[in-house]
Amino acid sequence: MAVKITDQVAAPAPMAHRSSPLGVLLRAGGSIAGGLLTYLAFPPIGWWFCAPLGVGLSVLALRGVRVRRAAWLGYLGGAAFLLPTLAWVRPIGDDAWAALAGVESLFWAAMAAGAALVLRLRLWPLWVATLWVAQEWARGLFPVGGFPWARLAFSQGESPFTRFASLGGAPLVSFTVVLCGALVASLVTRVVAARRPDRVIAGTLLGAIAVPVLGSLVPLLGDEGRTVRIGVIQGNVPGRGMDFLGNEPAVVLRNHADETHRMAQAVRQGTLPKPDIVVWPENSTDIDPYRSDYARSVIDAAAKDIGVPILVGAVAEIGTEHRATRGIVWDPVTGPGAYYDKRKLVPFGEYTPFKDLFLKLSARANLVGRQSVPGDRPGALRMGPVTVGMVECYEVAFDGLVRDTVDAGGTPLVVQTNDATYALTNLPPQQLAMSQLRAVEFNRAVITAATTGISAYVDPEGTVEWRTAELVPGMNVVDVPVRTKNTLASRVGALPEWTLILMGAGATVAAISRRRKS
């Protein structure tokens, strides 16, 4: 009996109808359903438990199929997942949305092809999970600098899997989610194949349950007894979509200055405590304050009224052709000082890759205007009593950029973001879930300041303690813990990710070698 079970683990029996038209249709439907189920785990729906269930269904659709068929099944599942998950791209254009989902689905196709091979090995749930990590790693690098959005870890902002982030970052969270789902798939196949329950079935069930349970038991670092009081400003914008700035200049700047004056008035009236520092969002001034006396005077007046440094989000012109997305520390006495320039730029939003080609293909490519240039240092900026760790919008999705900021001494973390083009889509809540995961990953409180929402305060345990609605002005002063102790994930960096990737590569090589010998 033991030998028979081992053979099942090494090479799952293919479905009898796998080559029939009905079998192919069932597999395609299973892959699409798995992708849609996985989408439900992501905000704003946020049914986190759908992620392992969706993975399990996707894996079941691949059992017993050849590599080529697995690839197109994986593509279908990837498209079914990515089209609704990335629907926030639609304000730019439905063609851009379809193109992005189509390109990203290719990574799912490659992963599914690899999964079809490793499904024939012993311990295949483990190898499938490592291949998923490799797929997410590759998406974060290619093309044009990578697009790590919609990683499974980012669906687990507050779930039993979240605390794994403190041990191995986002890659370990994705790995454990997929491992749980693959174990569920293994359990289903064993129950269907077995005439009676046995110890292996019981062990598989126990493993599927144990993964999230163990995650919820991971200890987190405790409070260090120090806090900083941070004012958060959300000024709102006059327009919507691609024209969120409206036609009248300086409206966005005045909105954020007005909210700061309102905060100062509330402090004087005693309805709000005085902050130590104030944070404005990315692009909170639509006029370069280095070149405009008007913009400088508006920011100066707001800083003097509140009486503390303001972290201003600006687009600073560099020469005649370039710009930088910049966070500037604006002191109420000395004015603009230290700054951070965004290092990870948004393709087709802040710069145009393959510029000559795309300017010919699409008129929208001209909307980028001046080409942004990336910064070259982490965003650790001294403000008042603390050194804040600055991350600009898109950068929160990239593990290494956030880790660099923490390593440079940033605490708490501040995410300046401008989601005005994507207001009321699923982008703002997805980005907030990333902040939740980063808080746990690095043992840092996270402040998100957004032009239109969602502005928020996330504590180091990943709980959203305060947040705004969207498309409304808002402001608040929050007491935020200052943490300096580093998690294991912070200390080991990318080591867990590379370990899992190499394990997946080794399993794939072993599967190919075994296939050639058979």
Side-chain angles (χ1 to χ4, degrees), residues 105-389:
S105 295
L106 292 172
F107 292 93
W108 280 57
M111 175 187 64
L117 294 170
V118 301
L119 277 166
R120 297 177 171 88
L121 300 176
R122 295 185 179 90
L123 304 178
W124 59 263
L126 178 65
W127 313 131
V128 169
T130 59
L131 290 180
W132 201 294
V133 173
Q135 172 258 135
E136 292 188 341
W137 166 80
R139 283 204 299 118
L141 292 178
F142 311 102
V144 292
F147 185 73
W149 222 268
R151 294 160 73 185
L152 280 185
F154 296 152
S155 70
Q156 305 297 308
E158 197 166 2
S159 84
F161 295 94
T162 308
R163 291 189 173 203
F164 281 119
S166 68
L167 302 180
L172 184 60
V173 176
S174 290
F175 170 79
T176 54
V177 171
V178 178
L179 179 60
C180 181
L183 286 170
V184 170
S186 177
L187 178 65
V188 170
T189 61
R190 291 180 185 282
V191 169
V192 170
R195 295 182 178 179
R196 59 182 177 81
D198 59 28
R199 286 178 295 179
V200 177
I201 291 177
T204 306
L205 175 62
L206 182 61
I209 296 172
V211 175
V213 170
L214 289 174
S216 65
L217 296 177
V218 172
L220 299 179
L221 298 172
D223 188 65
E224 298 175 27
R226 183 184 170 202
T227 61
V228 63
R229 194 163 279 169
I230 300 180
V232 185
I233 299 294
Q234 176 175 302
N236 207 8
V237 298
R240 297 290 177 267
M242 297 291 286
D243 299 317
F244 67 87
L245 290 176
N247 296 320
E248 184 182 349
V251 172
V252 176
L253 170 58
R254 290 201 303 270
N255 286 354
H256 288 85
D258 288 346
E259 283 300 298
T260 307
H261 288 301
R262 192 164 73 88
M263 177 182 287
Q265 181 65 23
V267 169
R268 287 190 287 271
Q269 293 174 346
T271 56
L272 278 179
K274 183 172 182 177
D276 297 309
I277 60 174
V278 171
V279 178
W280 287 8
E282 181 185 64
N283 301 137
S284 46
T285 172
D286 44 347
I287 301 177
D288 185 350
Y290 294 111
R291 301 195 176 206
S292 167
D293 291 337
Y294 172 76
R296 187 183 185 107
S297 66
V298 170
I299 300 170
D300 265 335
K304 285 178 168 58
D305 195 14
I306 195 65
V308 299
I310 299 176
L311 186 61
V312 177
V315 177
E317 297 178 10
I318 300 176
T320 58
E321 298 182 355
H322 297 100
R323 63 181 180 176
T325 303
R326 180 170 293 180
I328 309 166
V329 178
W330 204 286
D331 188 88
V333 177
T334 59
Y339 62 86
Y340 167 70
D341 285 347
K342 189 174 186 177
R343 291 181 290 162
K344 196 67 177 181
L345 303 175
V346 180
F348 308 105
E350 292 171 312
Y351 78 103
T352 308
F354 314 111
K355 185 178 176 182
D356 293 340
L357 173 63
F358 280 102
L359 287 178
K360 293 177 182 177
L361 292 177
S362 174
R364 276 175 302 176
N366 289 288
L367 296 176
V368 174
R370 284 176 178 254
Q371 299 292 297
S372 292
V373 293
D376 58 3
R377 65 180 188 271
L381 298 176
R382 188 70 186 180
M383 290 188 70
V386 294
T387 298
V388 300

